[in-house]
Amino acid sequence: MKKRDVLGSYGLPVQVRFCQKCTVSNQRPRISFDSSGVCSACNYADFKRHSIPWDEREKELVALCDRHRKTNGEYDVIVPCSGGKDGGFVAHQLKYKYGMNPLTVTWAPLQATEIGRRNLDAFIRAGFDNILGSPNGKVTRKLTRLALQHLGDPFQPFIYGQTNFPLHMAVKYRVQLIMYGENGEVEYGGDMKNAFRPDRDIQDHDKHYFSGLPPEFWTEHGVSLADLRPFMAPPFARIAENKTEIHFLGYYKFWDPQENFYYCRENTGFAPNTERSEGTYSKYASLDDRIDGFHYYLAYIKFGIGRTTSDAAHEIRDGKITREEGIALVKRYDGEFPRKYYQDFLEYCGITDEEFQEVVDSWRSDHLWQRTADGWGLKFAIWHGQPT
Amino acid sequence: MISVTVVDYGACNLFSVRRALEKCGAEVTFADTARAIDGAQRLVLPGVGAFEDGMAGLRERNLVDALRNFASSGRPMLGICLGMQMLLSESEEFGAHEGLQIIPGKVVAIPRTSADGQRHKIPHIGWSQLEVPVGGHEWSDSILADVKPGEAVYMVHSFTAVPDDASCRLADCHYGERLISAAIRSENIYGCQFHPEKSGEVGLRILSAFIGLHAGSRIQHAA
Amino acid sequence: MKNVRLIPRLDIKGPNLIKGVHLEGLRVIGDPQVFARNYYEQGADELLYMDVVASLYGRNSLHEIVSRSAQHVFIPLTVAGGLRSVDDVREILRAGADKVGINTAATKRPELIREVARKFGSQCMVLSIEAKRIGPRCWEVYTDNGRERTGLDAVEWAQRGVELGAGELLLTSVDQEGTREGFDCDLVKAISDAVPVPVIASGGMGRYEDLVKVVLEGGADGVAMADILHYGRTTIPEIRDAARTAGLDVRVFG
């Protein structure tokens, strides 16, 4: 398989540098570092902690809710969720604190885990209406395989679907407001242009989530327009006519994923896993899909940034762990191969181990990887110390 | 400042004992030679672990005679836990072993079951209430002078001391329905099966009383 | 009946006392010394310090905290987390610990139990077991603060540890830890029935009834508590009273 141009595809800098404050490197697409070597996510975290007038923001939230609240029994806000801690926090706050009538919407995981399903059920039982969108299973498998082979990320189709499903639901139920948790680009380091507004333009979708591959690509590979329909956004005209708005609760309230975990433990019956997720140390994040380990693994191959790096980075920013501990965790767990569901994954995609490894190797850029005695190693790992 | 010497024969952690004694106002020195023991005003013999190892440690350092001499000199002496057990004649732990023979008696295993057949957990670990032994003396002229019966102390042991002379039993405690020896005494020599340095305020009171004993006195039992 | 021991458990990370749920999501609560002193004054029977990042760094870092506590706290201190050798044990005992809890290192090299027991005494060697239910009456041993599986059966491992010289067992239920939903009494009973040494139950205390149940049904000799004390939900004297009212023997204090 041809070697991919990771640097070109993602616009990455050749020289690896690590943030001085957290564990993330400059290889995360769209992240920026300031002149002191601190990443945009850490700077935002500081700003968030010290300079945002949260009581003012809350007033804005109350006003937003007042504007959208319906008292005729109809839904007035769509909350995308998976049954996890983030959506759970958003839904619970909106319903029980701000008096809204949310419809929670879940895009079905490719292969649900037991703990994921249990958490979703507990969430529903805690008092929420929920719609589970399950796209054609056969089509989903094909798309997943194609995405793996052509994009190096089996999870992309899932992400398309998950992103667009709330738009479908908003349009169908005639709900104007969609409320997400955090703006990932802002919180975790990416395109900062949305940091100071509560919402995002709906056209922005393509740039962040479609990785530059139009639907035509899929039809070329035997996936019909009808097959793709559930994964794509509804016609823009319908979205506009509905006056649809996408807001982030993270703009209105201080966002801290670990605190969401505690909150959901108390309020929505959320239970963390009793064993840590592969590739990281944590037990409370992203528990619902057996396949998502491979998304993180491929990110590790492409960017040298695995699940541990990301988990540790936000926990450092939120003051839950020190950078020293984060680095020790990254050294121990980052890039761990998700062995537990590997066979399931291969079977799901209908590929062999060799085919998977071929894809993986095609994404190993020379600027990040070198051969070692027992396989491959990162040229620059955070525990090596800062490269000069 | 009152000086207390603690015997160091490699058998345990001395830091807790020192700290507690210092907290009670003593100046603590360590003795690992016969001469240092001879020169002591008050002596504490601590110890945890196996009887055989403890005695071996004392013999290796030639401390056995010095300890026996100290005991007969009338100066205050306190054996803690294993230190108390070694004051006796012999122990049945892991075979028969000779002790310091300062207080006649034997060290025997705590029975594994109670009188009604309930299994005991061994070692006995935990807090036990101190009681005046049946037919025993009250405590006012001893290191338990500031302790009331019923106050608890911390014990950790699998073996228990049984002095030949029952009047040497200063305090007992219950384990199951059995009474076992918690503290023994023969004139100037005291033994605590419990750890006064780990028994909170009660323990500190006991150590203070020990420190306050007049060096060189020979306290007579009330008849 | 002998007295049940009430043992506050302090999970420590760096300089801080922390608390988690299922050994996860660890929240900073405050200065361990303040809490330790307070618990001593309230009448705790022992204190248990767990270094929860020790296995990550490959070392126990509680020496200073333990030393400082030992200046003012005259009850037994047990220290666990990251102790991997006889030398590590010696160092922490020097710092003021009375007993050591060992988990990960013992599962990797069981002989360590024998070495520590031989050198410092069985009463000093507490085998720390984190157990997760994997079936009815079946539990697996975990290490690294509930992060890694070992494949060991908890009951068999407990027996083996005692044979090697462990004088006491500290048993933490991964399933119940931090949930405040009670202890895993089946686990405690299975282990307690299988070994002749005292067992301290840890993980899950939410109400007084939980303590009573784990002692009466589980056979626990001591109970380690964290959440319920650190968050000020109750005090040790209140727990003592509740236990006594329920017919348990506890130390008379105050």
Side-chain angles (χ1 to χ4, degrees), chain A residues 79-295:
Chain A
V79 177
C81 78
S82 61
K85 64 186 174 10
D86 293 336
F89 175 73
V90 175
H92 194 272
Q93 285 273 297
L94 287 175
K95 183 162 187 174
Y96 294 103
K97 187 167 181 189
Y98 297 98
M100 299 296 278
N101 187 15
L103 171 63
T104 69
V105 304
T106 304
W107 187 247
L110 300 178
Q111 291 209 290
T113 58
E114 260 183 61
I115 180 91
R117 184 68 236 187
R118 247 187 293 138
N119 278 333
L120 181 58
D121 287 340
F123 169 73
I124 293 167
R125 262 203 314 275
F128 299 96
D129 291 346
N130 175 263
I131 290 188
L132 179 70
S134 311
N136 179 325
K138 199 165 164 188
V139 167
T140 309
R141 288 175 75 174
K142 189 176 211 175
L143 292 178
T144 303
R145 175 172 54 79
L146 287 171
L148 170 67
Q149 289 167 331
H150 296 273
L151 296 173
D153 182 2
F155 227 47
Q156 280 292 309
F158 171 86
I159 294 173
Y160 303 163
Q162 190 188 48
T163 304
N164 291 318
F165 187 58
L167 290 169
H168 281 285
M169 294 294 104
V171 161
K172 282 197 191 339
Y173 280 89
R174 292 205 267 263
V175 176
Q176 282 80 53
L177 180 61
I178 299 174
M179 184 70 86
Y180 277 94
E182 81 283 34
N183 184 338
E185 287 300 302
V186 165
E187 295 279 336
Y188 308 126
D191 205 332
M192 282 293 286
K193 73 175 202 271
N194 290 332
F196 305 99
R197 49 184 286 206
D199 60 344
R200 77 150 191 248
D201 294 332
I202 296 180
Q203 289 101 311
D204 263 15
H205 252 193
D206 290 343
K207 190 167 167 204
H208 288 171
Y209 297 103
F210 287 80
S211 299
L213 277 182
E216 294 78 63
F217 167 85
W218 306 104
T219 44
E220 275 169 40
H221 285 86
V223 180
S224 75
L225 219 53
D227 291 336
L228 284 178
R229 170 56 61 229
F231 293 87
M232 290 161 57
F236 187 73
R238 301 272 293 280
I239 296 173
E241 180 189 45
N242 188 49
K243 297 193 176 40
T244 318
E245 297 177 30
I246 291 179
H247 286 242
F248 298 98
L249 195 65
Y251 168 86
Y252 298 103
K253 295 186 92 73
F254 190 94
W255 187 259
D256 183 334
Q258 194 179 112
E259 295 298 321
N260 293 350
F261 157 55
Y262 299 131
Y263 183 92
C264 287
R265 247 220 101 238
E266 299 293 310
N267 294 300
T268 69
F270 177 79
N273 210 349
T274 46
E275 56 186 40
R276 63 178 182 82
S277 299
E278 288 173 309
T280 186
Y281 57 95
S282 116
K283 299 176 192 168
Y284 63 79
S286 196
L287 303 174
D288 61 320
D289 199 332
R290 285 188 252 163
I291 304 295
D292 78 2
F294 299 94
H295 162 72

